[in-house]
Structures are given as C-alpha cells and as structure tokens.
Amino acid sequence: MAEKIPEPVADAPAKISVGTYYYPWYIRSKHKWKQAMRLHLRTPQIPKAGLYDSRNPSVIAEHIEQSVRAGIEFWAVSWWGPDESTDRNFKDHILTHPEASKLKYAILYESTGRFGSFKNPDYSNWMDDMRYLKDQYFDNPNYLKINGRPVVFVYLSRVYFRGRGADALEQMRRELPEIYLVGDDVFYGDSTSVYKSEWAKNFDAVTAYDVYGQSISKLGGTQKAVQFLAHNYQQAKQAANSVGTAFIPAIAPGYNDTAVRDGHPGRARYFTDTPDSQPGDIFRAMIRKAAIPNTDPSCDNIIMVTSFNEWYEDTQIEATSGTAPPSKTDDSESGTYYTGGQTYYDYGYLYLDILRQEIEKSFMVTEGLNGTCNGKLKQN
C-alpha cells in the first residue's frame, strides 16, 4: 500500500512576509521573447507591460505597482556577476527608480553562471563577488535585511555546497559574517528522501527554488502533488530548525519550459484530478497547505514565490494583458507541442490577487483569535 502523506496542520502566523524572484534580463526583442511558451500559443498571451525591456522606467514602475498590489514586500533579483546586464539593470535602473522605496531587494546569486560545471565547480569568483555585493548593494537603504543582516539567496546551493565548497563558505563567514545566506537547498522527489540537517548547517536559512520538480513534475497537477510538497516542507523545516537554521517555504503557479529546453512536461495551472478546477487553484492550494503552515518566525515568516517574471519557464505571476482567449493549441507542427493539450488562460491580475487574498485571509484568521475591530484588520 502506498505511503499516506499526512495533511499539514495550518497554524498561520500573525504576519507573513512575501518575496518573489525577479528577472531583470529582458530586452525588447521578439526573438528573445519567443523563449516564452505563451508567445507560441495560437493567440499569444503577453505581459500587461508588453514585450518589455527591463531597463524601461515605466516597466519597473508597473512591476513595483503590481508587487504592491499583491502584498509582495521584496524581490530577490537574479544576478549573474559584476557589470553583467542584470547587475547594471538592478543597480542603475531598479534601485535608482523613483518608486524603488516601495519594496525591499536582495540578490539571487546565480551560481550556475559563477561556479560553472556541476561536476567540477570553480569557486574563484565567490569572494570577489561577495565583496562586490557588499560595496555596491548592502548599504542601500532598500536592501533586504533579516535580523539586521543583508540577505543573499544562493541558487542551487544543493548542487554546489553539499559535500563540497566548504572552504569558500568558511572564508565568507570569516571575512563577511554579516551576510545572511539563504541556500536553495531543499529538494527531494520521492517519499523515501529526507532532507538532512547536516546540509542546512551551511546556511542561515534554507529554501526551495524548484517547486515544480518536487511536486507537479512527478505527480502532475494533482491534489497529491500539493500534499507531497507540504510534507517535504514540514520535514525540511524540522531538520533545519534542529540545527538552528531557518526555513523559507516557496510556492509556484505552474511550470512550462518547453520553449527553451526539452525533457520537462509542462503543467498548466489548474488541478487535473478535480472536477471544474479553475486557473489558480494549484497556486492557492500551495499557499494554504504548503506555505503558510511552514512559515518560520526566526526569518520573518517569509514565503518565496517562484517567480514574479520568469516567463521562459512559465512560473510568472506578473499580470498578463488579459485579452487573449484560452488556448490548448500552439504554433508547433503538432499544434500541441508547447501546451501538451492543456488549456492556458490569459489570466490578468489573477495570481497577484490570489496571493494578497490568501495572505490577508491568514492574517485575519489569526487576528480573529485575538480580537478584531468590526471584522477588519487591526492597524498597528
């Protein structure tokens, strides 16, 4: 008999902080944007901001406005190295924007671009990169801090810092102990896998960037996939906390990277095992069952969203134009290579609004236990 995964027990904290991974790498080029699956639909589905350039101040303003609408408090911004386009766009265009102070910002350190090969990683950039980030970013008043320490997210730490890279980490701790290091360290795809506390010791907090790979990739767009993700997080949080490391749960609306690579079945954004399931149902369920019950007050009850605008993998919650009809067909020879026969909806503000509604609802439930004024949120 298959192992039954226990249902999580919801125990919402009074205040949840929401962050999202943000990508400042877009240029206004139809060729580049063709790497987004939704542009291959019979009627393309495009961002509300159009096929944009990440440096455009009106686009940055639009993205900040959308984030505020969703209750997002910070962006973890993709960073590929000093003087690379993401560095220039972040430093020279986002942080200097007149609306920048409405959010906080952290670095998402793109380890694949800085360490290289999974088999033989090269850590020679590591310390120079950390020094550069300290000099260029950490003193910015809008830079994200946890317990007064500047936050750096490290992508795929589970590849680069398990049983290797110890000298690089140790040097960073000696020279720059103020850095609050968050490892993308939690990932397992079957019921026999267990996240180990020894891995968590390397970091101040651990999280999981790849929500898809340990949920809907293997189990499809099913209720069981969300339940399994919640079980993973519950175990990982316990392991991390046992060695004094915080845990940050992550959620994602869906996934489809067929326009950029082969080998990953695309998943639309509704349950395939639930009659009349609507777009956004998987995202809503992940918030309720996997994220909120596993928030950690030692790291400000943060929930991460993968992602705000990673259109190439179709994990974005950024608003779409909302004008195109639903589509099961695409411009491939078969007519369904990109969609897999699933329906994709031009969802508009749906995911931004789901996020805000669910976080506010969890706050109201907790506040209700302590008393409210006329059924409304208490003002601090």
Side-chain angles (χ1 to χ4, degrees), residues 94-371:
I94 294 173
L95 287 178
T96 61
H97 194 278
E99 303 295 310
S101 63
K102 292 183 177 180
L103 301 175
K104 296 293 185 182
Y105 307 87
I107 289 288
L108 170 59
Y109 186 81
E110 296 284 7
S111 55
T112 55
R114 306 308 292 157
F115 298 154
S117 165
F118 289 174
K119 186 176 182 180
N120 295 299
D122 177 0
Y123 301 98
S124 60
N125 289 318
W126 174 247
M127 285 308 302
D128 284 342
D129 285 349
M130 293 300 110
R131 295 182 192 108
Y132 178 87
L133 296 178
K134 177 181 179 179
D135 291 343
Q136 299 295 321
Y137 289 98
F138 294 168
D139 288 337
N140 187 290
N142 298 319
Y143 197 88
L144 178 70
K145 292 180 173 64
I146 295 177
N147 300 327
R149 300 165 61 194
V151 180
V152 174
F153 290 80
V154 180
Y155 178 59
L156 282 182
S157 67
R158 59 188 170 85
V159 173
Y160 291 109
F161 289 116
R162 286 188 186 175
R164 56 168 75 176
D167 290 345
L169 283 175
E170 184 179 352
Q171 185 180 1
M172 188 213 78
R173 293 301 189 193
R174 284 197 314 268
E175 185 176 332
L176 298 168
E178 69 269 27
I179 292 178
Y180 190 97
L181 202 64
V182 181
D184 165 29
D185 212 59
V186 177
F187 183 92
Y188 45 109
D190 61 73
S191 59
T192 64
S193 300
V194 177
Y195 184 73
K196 298 180 180 180
S197 58
E198 65 190 71
W199 299 333
K201 286 181 180 179
N202 289 326
F203 305 98
D204 297 290
V206 291
T207 190
Y209 180 92
D210 185 357
V211 177
Y212 160 86
Q214 57 189 316
S215 58
I216 59 176
S217 172
K218 295 181 180 296
L219 297 172
T222 63
Q223 297 280 352
K224 185 177 180 180
V226 175
Q227 189 180 358
F228 184 68
L229 181 70
H231 180 61
N232 285 3
Y233 285 173
Q234 185 180 48
Q235 288 191 330
K237 181 183 177 184
Q238 290 172 352
N241 288 173
S242 73
V243 292
T245 298
F247 177 73
I248 299 175
I251 53 176
Y255 188 93
N256 189 326
D257 66 347
T258 51
V260 289
R261 60 180 75 92
D262 296 324
H264 301 130
R267 302 297 187 199
R269 300 182 174 202
Y270 52 85
F271 285 116
T272 57
D273 63 344
T274 303
D276 302 319
S277 180
Q278 299 298 309
D281 283 355
I282 290 177
F283 190 59
R284 192 185 300 275
M286 283 186 179
I287 296 171
R288 293 179 179 180
K289 297 182 179 181
I292 290 174
N294 290 300
T295 52
D296 189 338
S298 69
C299 59
D300 299 338
N301 294 315
I302 291 173
I303 291 173
M304 290 302 297
V305 180
T306 308
S307 62
F308 183 82
N309 64 335
E310 220 295 20
W311 286 85
Y312 302 154
E313 295 182 348
D314 200 55
T315 61
Q316 78 287 338
I317 62 171
E318 177 184 356
T320 65
S321 64
T323 58
S327 181
K328 290 185 177 181
T329 57
D330 53 55
D331 60 10
S332 66
E333 185 175 342
S334 67
T336 58
Y337 173 77
Y338 297 108
T339 67
Q342 299 178 94
T343 304
Y344 284 82
Y345 295 83
D346 195 2
Y347 55 79
Y349 287 102
L350 177 65
Y351 294 92
L352 302 173
D353 291 344
I354 287 174
L355 184 59
R356 185 176 197 99
Q357 290 161 8
E358 292 300 318
I359 298 305
E360 286 185 346
K361 186 183 299 182
S362 74
F363 182 53
M364 292 178 73
V365 167
T366 305
E367 286 293 285
L369 300 176
N370 300 317

Side-chain angles (χ1 to χ4, degrees), residues 50-108:
L51 305 185
Y52 55 79
D53 187 314
S54 291
R55 298 167 297 181
N56 188 318
S58 65
V59 170
I60 296 170
E62 172 74 23
H63 288 174
I64 291 173
E65 180 184 347
Q66 289 183 26
S67 297
V68 170
R69 172 177 176 144
I72 291 166
E73 296 185 18
F74 71 89
W75 295 347
V77 180
S78 176
W79 186 86
W80 289 79
D83 205 37
E84 195 272 340
S85 63
T86 55
D87 178 51
R88 295 192 303 271
N89 291 351
F90 186 16
K91 183 175 57 177
D92 300 335
H93 298 278
I94 294 173
L95 287 178
T96 61
H97 194 278
E99 303 295 310
S101 63
K102 292 183 177 180
L103 301 175
K104 296 293 185 182
Y105 307 87
I107 289 288
L108 170 59

